[in-house]
């Protein structure tokens, strides 16, 4: 049996309906780093073994800064996953990052703080390694996501710099201006430390992001929440189709 593909569902993928023969953990798995956000759902989806974790936990209750990213990554690694696809809802900073668009980011700027961001925090656990993070997302996995999105006719953004803020509040217009000057194309709250931890754990990792709103100060007067509401359902649907298409190719 091949290794399951890990899927981390976020605001743009609250649940993975249609997992065949699903075996769900009785509880959120306990790891040396604490409990994961919620029970893992393991089973077959689109012909592949998958293991799904809800980043914000059941009922979408865990705020971005309070997520136990280490436990989520460790729980997927413990389930035998070698590859992880992270789904995320993001705001669009660059004009091309329009609401509804699927984006496969290639770079990260991390503005988050105070999160448990490494597995190397205890000398007793073993030797320190400074992992190479030049390319934070695994290129082959990114290519597979882009190809699948193209097959579906989605016109995905083939690269983007993903700025990661602390949340849970949205940003100020000046913060988005600064992020734009820094080169960020999209903004989300959960991209880090998740990607860095996946690298430390030796997992292939890529992100399928859905733009659900224009970022603060870019909305042309539209209320951000109204835009998110209007975009999210279609975004979730598109992400499910993307997963159905990409999984058999991995
Ligand atoms: N900012 C930060 N995170 C987000 C946004 C945003 O505008 N939209 C969705 N996630």
């Amino acid at each position: 049996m091949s290794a399951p593909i890990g899927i981390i569902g976020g605001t743009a993928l609250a649940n993975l309906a249609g997992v065949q023969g699903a075996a769900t953990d009785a509880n959120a798995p306990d790891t040396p780093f604490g409990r994961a956000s919620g029970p893992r759902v393991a089973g077959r989806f689109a012909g592949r073994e998958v293991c799904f974790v809800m980043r914000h936990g059941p009922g979408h209750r865990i705020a971005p800064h309070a997520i136990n990213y280490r436990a989520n990554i460790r729980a997927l690694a413990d389930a035998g996953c070698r590859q992880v696809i992270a789904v995320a809802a993001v705001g669009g900073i660059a004009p091309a990052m329009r609401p509804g668009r699927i984006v496969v980011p290639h770079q990260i700027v991390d503005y988050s703080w105070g999160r448990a961001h490494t597995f190397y925090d205890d000398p007793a656990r073993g030797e320190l390694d400074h992992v190479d993070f030049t390319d934070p997302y695994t290129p082959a996995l990114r290519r597979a996501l882009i190809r699948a999105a193209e097959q579906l006719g989605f016109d995905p953004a083939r690269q983007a710099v993903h700025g990661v803020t602390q949340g849970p509040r949205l940003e100020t217009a000046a913060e988005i201006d600064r992020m734009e000057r820094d080169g960020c194309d999209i903004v989300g709250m959960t991209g880090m430390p998740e990607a860095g931890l996946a690298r430390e754990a030796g997992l292939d990792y890529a992100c399928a992001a859905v733009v659900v709103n224009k970022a603060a100060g870019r909305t042309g007067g539209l209320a951000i929440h109204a835009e998110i509401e209007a975009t999210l359902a279609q975004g979730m649907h598109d992400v499910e189709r993307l997963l159905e298409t990409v999984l058999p190719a991995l």
Side-chain angles (χ1 to χ4, degrees), residues 89-92 165 170-171 176 187-189 212-216 224 228:
V90 297
T165 57
L170 292 160
E171 299 71 35
I176 294 296
V187 52
M189 301 174 188
V212 293
N213 60 281
K214 292 188 181 173
I224 286 188
I228 292 176

Side-chain angles (χ1 to χ4, degrees), residues 101-117:
R101 198 161 190 206
I102 300 266
V103 180
V104 183
H106 72 300
Q107 277 296 336
I108 294 175
V109 180
D110 185 10
Y111 303 90
S112 71
W113 49 271
R115 305 179 180 189
H117 67 288

